Amino acid sequence: MNGVGTGSYYTGATAVPVAKPFLMAGYDAPEGVEIRGRYDGEFAKILTRDALNFVAQLQREFKQRVRYALECRKEAKKRYNDGSAPGFDPATKNIREGDWVCAAVPPAVADRKVEITGPVERKMVINALNSGAKVFMADFEDALSPSWENLMNGHINLKDAVNGTISFHDKARNRVYKLNDQIAKLFVRPRGWHLPESHILIDGEPATACLVDFGLYFFHNYAPFRRGQGAGFGPFFYLPKMEHSREAKIWNCVFEKAEKMVGIERGSIRATVLIETLPAAFQMDEILYELRDHSVGLNCGRWDYIFSYVKTFQGHPDRLLPDRFLVGMGQHFMKSYSDRLIWTCHRRGVHAMGGHDGTWAAHPGLIPACMEVFNNTMGNSPNQIKTAKREEAANLTEEDLLQRPRGVRTMEGLRLNTRVGIQYLAAWLTGSGSVPLYNLMEDAATAEISRVQNWQWLKYGAELNGDGLGVRVNKELFGRVVEEEMARIEKEVGKEKYKKGMYKEASKIFTRQCTTSTLDDFLTLDAYNNIVVHHPKLTQSRL
Ligand SMILES: CC(=O)SCCNC(=O)CCNC(=O)[C@H](O)C(C)(C)COP(=O)(O)OP(=O)(O)OC[C@H]1O[C@@H](n2cnc3c(N)ncnc32)[C@H](O)[C@@H]1OP(=O)(O)O
Ligand SMILES: O=CC(=O)O
Ligand SMILES: [Mg+2]
C-alpha cells in the first residue's frame, strides 16, 4: 500500500514540519491490525501480513486472560498493602508435594554452564553468539529500551542470526563481524506481561508486548532454528517477571497454540522462567508444573527479585532495605530463594540457573572465569540436575524466604541510587537499555532497585543509620540530593553530552517516581510514553 502524506511526523515531544507532500509506504497489515511505527522496507520483511496475522491470533485468543492475570496482580498487591505477605498456597499443596517431573531436557541445551546476556543489538548479537558461552539470552526485556527502531532491528538481527547470515561492518574501525563455526545456543527473552506495544494496534488497542516479541520471533525463526541450533527442538525462551503460576499457564497455552498453528510437535518450544518476583518464589513448583512439557528450568533473576521485595512490601514500613550494594546473595532471604530454586528444579528434572547448573555473564570478559569455576566443579558433566539435590532446602520456610535483609542505610546509598537511576533513565530514553555505570552493568532491573529504594526511604522517612548523624530522608533532603547529583553527572559526562542527553527529562521522571505517594508499578511503564513515536495516520490517497 502506498500513500501520500503531508504535515508533520509526530516524534514524541517534537513535531518536525515537512514542507512538501511526501511519498509514504505502509505495511501490508491484515484486518484489524494497524502499525503506528515508522515504515521501513526492512521492517516490512518482519511485519509481513502472515506474521502480523499470527500475532493478532495470539492477541485475540489470550488478551482476556492476560487482563485477568494483571487484575489478579492488583488484588494481590492490595492484600500485601493491607498487611499480609506472600506465602505458599494451600490450594496447590498437592502440586508441591506430588511426584512429577518435567519433560526431558533437549540434548541441544543440556550444557548451559555459562550464558551470556545482552540486548538484541546487531554487533552484540554476533559477539555474544561467538563469545564461547554455551547460551546467548537475546534480550527484548531488562537490557533493551523498547523503541520501535530497537525492536524492529532486533527482530531483523535475530532472523539473520538464526539463518546464519548476520554480519556487521564497523566502519569507524573497518572491522567486519561474522559468526564463527561454533556459536552459543540462542534463547530469546520477550518483555513482561504488563507492557503494551503501542506501535502495533490490534482491534484498536495496543498489542500485548510479549506476544509481539514472541510471535514475530517464533513465526520467522521456528523452522530454521529447529533444523539447526535446536536439533529438533525449539525455539527456546526466557520468561520474565511472572508473579503467579496462572501467568505461566498462559505462556504454556501460547506455546501450545503456536505449535499447533505451524504444525510442530507439542513440547518443541522450551522456556526457562526467571524467578524474579517475591510472590513467584512461593510458586516455583506450580510454575514448573504449568510449563512441564515446555520447561527448561528456572533462573534466579536476583536484581528484579530485590526490586520485587521492596515493591511487595511497599505498605510495610518495617521492611526498609539497607544500601543497595549490601543486598547480595549472602542475605538469608536471597540464599533461601536460591537454595529452594535448586532443590525444586533438580527434583523436577530441569536446570537450576543462576549459579547452579550455569550462570549468566553480562559481558564476554567474564566468561572464561565463570567457565573455569563450572568446569572445575562439574568436569565433563553438562549439568548437576541428577547429582546435586540440595535436599536440605526442602525444609526452608516462609519465614526464611521473607527474612528482612540486614545492613545500614547511608547518604552515599541515597546519592548513588539517585545518580544511577537518573543516568540509566537518560540512557533508556535515548535508546540504550543497558549501560556501564561506575564499573557495574545497569539495566532496567537494577535501576528499579534504585528507584524503589529511594521511594521507600522517602515514604517512611528512613533514618540513614549508617552515617552516625541520625538524618532522616525527606523530600527536602532528596530535592537537594537530586540537584547536587545532577551537577555531579554534568561534571562527569561533560557539558556537551549533558546538554544533548535527556538528563533533565530523566531527572523529572525519576524524581516524580521516587516522591509519589503511591508507588508506580514499573519505572519503564511510565517512561514508555516518552519513547513511543507514532507514524502519522494517513488518509490513504493512492498514487
Ligand atoms: C538483570 C538482568 O536482567 S541481567 C541481563 C540483562 N542485562 C544485560 O544483558 C547487559 C548486557 N551487557 C551489556 O549490555 C554491556 O556489557 C554493557 C552495556 C554493560 C557494557 O558494554 P560496553 O561498554 O560496550 O562494554 P565494553 O566496551 O567493555 O565492550 C567490549 C566488547 O565486548 C562486547 N560486549 C560487551 N558486552 C557484551 C554482551 N553482553 N554481549 C556481547 N558482546 C558484548 C562489546 O560489543 C565490545 O565489542 P567490540 O570489542 O567488538 O567492539
Ligand atoms: O533478569 C534478571 C534480573 O536479575 O532481574
Ligand atoms: Mg529481570
Side-chain angles (χ1 to χ4, degrees):
M1 263 188 293
N2 287 317
V4 176
T6 54
S8 62
Y9 272 107
Y10 178 64
T11 58
T14 333
V16 183
V18 178
K20 288 186 186 155
F22 56 95
L23 222 181
M24 189 175 294
Y27 294 100
D28 182 17
E31 184 74 29
V33 178
E34 192 185 342
I35 306 297
R36 302 296 311 279
R38 181 180 76 80
Y39 179 81
D40 186 295
E42 291 304 308
F43 297 176
K45 293 179 190 161
I46 298 296
L47 299 169
T48 60
R49 194 176 183 82
D50 287 346
L52 289 170
N53 208 14
F54 185 83
V55 172
Q57 283 192 60
L58 295 179
Q59 175 73 18
R60 287 176 183 136
E61 176 142 352
F62 295 105
K63 75 172 176 194
Q64 291 306 344
R65 288 177 68 175
V66 174
R67 205 165 282 164
Y68 174 72
L70 295 178
E71 277 308 309
C72 292
R73 282 190 188 179
K74 279 191 200 151
E75 280 169 26
K77 177 164 93 173
K78 189 168 176 334
R79 285 198 301 278
Y80 304 143
N81 285 351
D82 288 345
S84 69
F88 296 111
D89 184 352
T92 47
K93 191 165 181 266
N94 58 332
I95 294 179
R96 285 191 301 282
E97 294 183 355
D99 204 12
W100 50 271
V101 289
C102 295
V105 173
V109 283
D111 188 342
R112 302 171 63 180
K113 288 190 190 93
V114 183
E115 301 188 331
I116 188 161
T117 65
V120 286
E121 193 251 313
R122 199 163 182 86
K123 183 180 80 172
M124 280 174 91
V125 167
I126 303 172
N127 279 342
L129 288 168
N130 286 345
S131 66
K134 302 287 180 186
V135 164
F136 165 41
M137 198 255 337
D139 203 5
F140 284 101
E141 213 244 344
D142 283 336
L144 190 82
S145 166
S147 67
W148 181 243
E149 307 296 314
N150 282 351
L151 284 179
M152 286 301 112
N153 283 316
H155 281 290
I156 293 169
N157 299 339
L158 293 185
K159 189 165 176 243
D160 292 349
V162 172
N163 283 316
T165 57
I166 190 168
S167 67
F168 174 73
H169 183 197
D170 180 342
K171 290 192 188 109
R173 291 195 281 171
N174 194 23
R175 187 171 159 194
V176 176
Y177 293 74
K178 285 197 170 131
L179 292 181
N180 294 341
D181 292 339
Q182 278 268 331
I183 56 169
K185 295 283 187 301
L186 184 63
F187 277 58
V188 170
R189 178 162 72 170
R191 286 169 281 176
W193 284 121
H194 60 286
L195 289 166
E197 176 41 66
S198 296
H199 300 96
I200 300 183
L201 304 185
I202 298 178
D203 304 331
E205 291 174 0
T208 305
C210 60
L211 294 180
V212 172
D213 300 342
F214 165 80
L216 292 178
Y217 171 71
F218 176 85
F219 183 84
H220 288 294
N221 300 293
Y222 76 90
F225 188 92
R226 286 160 52 78
R227 275 198 305 272
Q229 282 231 333
F233 284 90
F236 304 131
F237 295 91
Y238 255 106
L239 303 176
K241 291 188 178 50
M242 286 196 265
E243 297 191 9
H244 194 277
S245 58
R246 75 172 65 82
E247 301 172 22
K249 187 171 186 166
I250 305 177
W251 270 120
N252 196 61
C253 293
V254 169
F255 294 164
E256 282 179 353
K257 167 120 186 147
E259 287 164 344
K260 224 180 195 163
M261 277 157 76
V262 302
I264 60 174
E265 231 172 279
R266 186 166 172 278
S268 295
I269 300 173
R270 295 301 178 98
T272 299
V273 172
L274 283 147
I275 299 297
E276 53 181 354
T277 67
L278 192 62
F282 298 89
Q283 294 264 318
M284 292 182 196
D285 277 304
E286 290 85 338
I287 287 171
L288 282 180
Y289 186 76
E290 293 300 349
L291 280 159
R292 61 195 178 280
D293 295 325
H294 290 105
S295 176
V296 268
L298 304 175
N299 185 329
C300 288
R302 61 187 285 192
W303 305 113
D304 266 314
Y305 194 69
I306 298 168
F307 155 49
S308 174
Y309 187 94
V310 177
K311 188 157 90 164
T312 306
F313 287 129
Q314 61 186 274
H316 299 228
D318 57 334
R319 288 186 181 266
L320 302 183
L321 237 62
D323 280 359
R324 192 183 118 168
F325 80 93
L326 296 174
V327 191
M329 294 313 287
Q331 293 277 359
H332 187 74
F333 82 110
M334 296 293 284
K335 179 159 175 13
S336 303
Y337 131 83
S338 146
D339 285 346
R340 186 172 172 88
L341 188 138
I342 303 169
W343 172 66
T344 306
C345 288
H346 288 188
R347 189 165 163 232
R348 306 305 181 188
V350 284
H351 289 83
M353 299 301 297
H356 327 302
D357 295 305
T359 191
W360 275 7
H363 190 285
L366 298 169
I367 295 170
C370 297
M371 200 64 93
E372 195 184 333
V373 173
F374 281 96
N375 284 338
N376 286 346
T377 312
M378 286 155 64
N380 290 330
S381 314
N383 57 60
Q384 307 187 78
I385 297 172
K386 290 209 164 71
T387 52
K389 290 296 178 197
R390 203 59 68 94
E391 298 286 4
E392 65 282 7
N395 301 320
L396 288 166
T397 62
E398 290 178 348
E399 288 71 35
D400 288 310
L401 289 161
L402 296 174
Q403 197 191 79
R404 287 166 180 74
R406 303 209 166 111
V408 293
R409 294 176 292 276
T410 66
M411 181 64 103
E412 187 41 37
L414 180 69
R415 287 188 179 284
L416 189 65
N417 280 343
T418 306
R419 206 158 63 237
V420 164
I422 292 173
Q423 287 184 87
Y424 176 76
L425 201 48
W428 191 91
L429 291 171
T430 48
S432 297
S434 55
V435 283
L437 290 172
Y438 310 109
N439 300 319
L440 289 177
M441 181 282 295
E442 299 289 343
D443 67 8
T446 63
E448 284 285 24
I449 302 174
S450 297
R451 170 184 74 103
V452 296
Q453 189 165 53
N454 277 8
W455 178 88
Q456 185 193 47
W457 291 2
L458 271 156
K459 173 87 179 172
Y460 297 113
E463 184 188 346
L464 300 179
N465 54 1
D467 295 326
L469 299 171
V471 172
R472 285 193 176 275
V473 181
N474 59 30
K475 281 193 183 171
E476 197 200 345
L477 173 74
F478 180 60
R480 268 208 319 274
V481 164
V482 171
E483 230 173 79
E484 287 166 14
E485 293 309 315
M486 285 293 277
R488 180 165 167 183
I489 293 170
E490 182 174 12
K491 210 164 148 202
E492 283 177 2
V493 303
K495 278 196 181 333
E496 204 51 34
K497 181 169 172 197
Y498 186 81
K499 216 160 68 194
K500 283 199 193 128
M502 292 190 72
Y503 295 95
K504 288 193 177 139
E505 292 81 351
S507 168
K508 213 162 134 192
I509 297 171
F510 187 75
T511 303
R512 191 199 66 70
Q513 290 215 355
C514 292
T515 52
T516 178
S517 66
T518 309
L519 183 67
D520 281 15
D521 285 344
F522 292 97
L523 173 66
T524 51
L525 195 51
D526 178 34
Y528 181 58
N529 289 330
N530 294 272
I531 61 167
V532 172
V533 182
H534 278 168
H535 198 63
K537 206 170 174 181
L538 299 176
T539 44
Q540 295 289 339
S541 47
R542 286 187 166 275
L543 272 184

